[in-house]
Amino acid sequence: MIAAAPTTTRFRMAPLVTGAVLLLHVAVLRLFCRAGADWVTVFGRDPGLACAFRVHTGHPCPGCGLTRSVILSVCGQWGQAFPLNPLGPWLVLGMLLFGLSLLWLGLAPNGRGTVERALRVGGAAYAAVACVFWLGGWLWRLA
């Protein structure tokens, strides 16, 4: 006779850990990084970042302003972040939503299939919109 499998709820560790790490990353950025329209500090020091593309061509690259935009978004300064690089606020929003979704996926005893499907479809839609923000923002800054 074969023993029945226990019916206890088991948490899924991979989504729990991944979601927690994403949210921890946002918290670390919030605690240890600061930014303004033309400066960034990490642990209170200027990291000396410069865009090689902009230095050589005089034009911004698609990633110009992204570090400052992400840090400003994490600090809640969405209005200042969006003009620097529209992708920054979108990335922060995605990290928060994805981290929370992964935590839910790891903790939810039922409906995992629904959550997994929503993450797949939502993730693809998020990536498509992120590409539009990224390239559209770059073209907008070039104009």
Side-chain angles (χ1 to χ4, degrees), residues 56-130:
H56 291 297
T57 66
H59 300 288
C61 75
C64 273
L66 188 57
T67 301
R68 291 173 287 152
S69 182
V70 166
I71 293 171
L72 285 167
S73 297
V74 167
C75 292
Q77 299 171 359
W78 301 88
Q80 290 179 333
F82 193 80
L84 289 173
N85 193 321
L87 184 59
W90 188 250
L91 286 175
V92 171
L93 181 64
M95 284 174 54
L96 291 172
L97 290 176
F98 191 57
L100 291 171
S101 298
L102 287 173
L103 285 177
W104 175 256
L105 181 63
L107 293 173
N110 298 325
R112 286 187 178 144
T114 304
V115 174
E116 287 173 349
R117 279 190 300 279
L119 281 172
R120 280 192 205 102
V121 172
Y126 172 83
V129 173

